[in-house]
Amino acid sequence: MSETIILGIESSCDDTSAAIIKGNQILSNIAANQSIHNEYGGVVPELASRAHQQNIIPVVTKSFSKANIQQNDICAIGFTRGPGLLGSLLVGTSFAKSLAMSLDVPLIEVNHLQAHILAHFIEDANPTPPEFPFLCLTVSGGHTMIVLVKDYFDMEIIGKTIDDAAGEAFDKIGKIFDLDYPAGPIIDKLAKEGNSNAFKFNKPRLDNYDYSFSGIKTSVLYFIQKEVKKNPDFIQEHLNDLCASIQKAIIEILMNKLENAAKDLGVKEVAIAGGVSANSALRQAMQDNQKKLGWNIYIPKFEYTTDNAAMIAMVAKLKYERSEFTDLRTTATSKYDL
Ligand code: KG4
Ligand code: ZN
């Protein structure tokens, strides 16, 4: 039997992406990022959906040409149904529905968060895929949670943020420093030149595996306001140290709960996923725990960390094998539980 070829489409936030998967192997993974949001300090939903409309046809066309696949070769189309920005999701959903109808292939809906986690099963994602059950710290601009993954489609959220997501904290703190959006990768880069012990910020105290990031954002804001009153150039003069110290605090908060969860549940298979899993300090902390705590760690390749259609195609392939198809009357949904 020839291998399944599937087109995946992702448009939940500000990246328009299309990918072709054959079996578990990604043949192409094309993304158009929307630089239009940089100057606004965050994603502007209306601008995002318009940019998706402009990008979707060129991105899908390129995914076919890069993979050297004809439209008639595909067995199904997977698309992100949610969660995300409704206007953005609508573009990918409508496009996927029309193409599925015209090619007469099944349509497969994909949960964006499941996709971040299941990206670990893409052929070149890891030397060996994680074994069930594993813990996955899923950290992005919209979500921060510890997920116990019992099987491909059997996931339990054991802890999550009660306010801001970790990526949101990076982005909002970056805005205080007048950095472009998204600030996460910029803070990561500047932190490399800074002293992570230069400044201390209070950490939240929550009993369970839940997170909170709004407090650290506010304490950075008050601290900066106070210092800038004394020295207007404070941010510029200490930017690298500030970035390194904030990054250290955020990563410590994330890892602390993950370590508690792994210990309490007796799980040693531990993965990270989502945009913030690109962070070098988080990746380093995982590697340290591999040695210190004997974890088997799963760190995504950079192209599978931030939003991408390869992960959507991967989930679509798993659902295709289970004949889990979606009715053409489906609609996008901004909220979509795991
Ligand atoms: O998964 P993603 O692309 O989109 C969502 O589903 O939200 O994640 C985007 C988030 C942004 O908040 C961005 O600042 C953050 O991931 N991010 C990073 C890094 N790269 C992306 N945060 C910290 N360090 C990075 N290297
Ligand atoms: Zn995402």
Side-chain angles (χ1 to χ4, degrees), residues 5-7 18-21 26-31 56-74 99:
I5 301 176
I6 292 176
L7 166 68
I20 306 278
I21 196 166
I26 296 296
L27 300 183
S28 66
N29 183 26
I30 309 295
I56 193 137
I57 293 177
V59 164
V60 170
T61 309
K62 205 164 160 198
S63 73
F64 277 106
S65 59
K66 171 104 191 286
N68 205 9
I69 291 288
Q70 305 300 315
Q71 289 197 359
N72 288 326
D73 296 333
I74 60 170
L99 192 59

Side-chain angles (χ1 to χ4, degrees), residues 112 116 140 307 311:
H112 180 87
H116 271 302
S140 69
D307 290 347
M311 65 186 196

Side-chain angles (χ1 to χ4, degrees), residues 115-143:
H116 271 302
I117 296 169
L118 296 175
H120 283 290
F121 293 91
I122 295 171
E123 200 168 273
D124 67 347
N126 292 294
T128 56
E131 279 179 26
F132 302 115
F134 67 93
L135 279 174
C136 187
L137 173 69
T138 310
V139 261
S140 69
H143 298 269

Side-chain angles (χ1 to χ4, degrees), residues 319-337:
K319 287 193 164 184
Y320 184 87
E321 287 169 344
R322 291 160 176 75
S323 300
E324 280 186 34
F325 303 126
T326 308
D327 195 285
L328 277 170
R329 284 167 297 187
T330 189
T331 50
T333 174
S334 59
K335 290 202 169 28
Y336 192 168
D337 288 339

Side-chain angles (χ1 to χ4, degrees), residues 130-251:
E131 279 179 26
F132 302 115
F134 67 93
L135 279 174
C136 187
L137 173 69
T138 310
V139 261
S140 69
H143 298 269
T144 294
M145 52 201 195
I146 300 177
V147 182
L148 178 63
V149 188
K150 299 172 203 167
D151 206 336
Y152 294 108
F153 298 104
D154 184 5
M155 303 185 184
E156 183 189 346
I157 300 172
I158 60 166
K160 60 178 186 317
T161 181
I162 58 164
D163 42 54
D164 292 349
E168 200 178 351
F170 273 109
D171 297 337
K172 286 181 174 169
I173 291 170
K175 202 172 170 186
I176 301 173
F177 301 158
D178 209 19
L179 301 177
D180 272 354
Y181 172 87
I186 306 173
I187 292 179
D188 189 355
K189 195 162 158 236
L190 297 174
K192 292 197 169 74
E193 308 298 324
N195 172 7
S196 61
N197 295 316
F199 303 103
K200 290 262 175 290
F201 298 102
N202 287 340
K203 303 219 180 75
R205 287 172 209 271
L206 295 177
D207 284 339
N208 46 19
Y209 306 123
D210 284 345
Y211 290 110
S212 166
F213 288 100
S214 71
I216 190 164
K217 175 196 64 191
T218 315
S219 76
V220 172
L221 179 66
Y222 289 162
F223 172 72
I224 293 293
Q225 283 173 341
K226 193 175 84 200
E227 294 299 326
V228 167
K229 259 191 204 147
K230 292 185 261 171
N231 170 12
D233 296 328
F234 180 80
I235 296 177
Q236 279 327 310
E237 286 172 11
H238 299 280
L239 188 56
N240 294 345
D241 288 349
L242 283 166
C243 289
S245 304
I246 282 152
Q247 176 171 280
K248 185 180 179 199
I250 294 176
I251 302 308

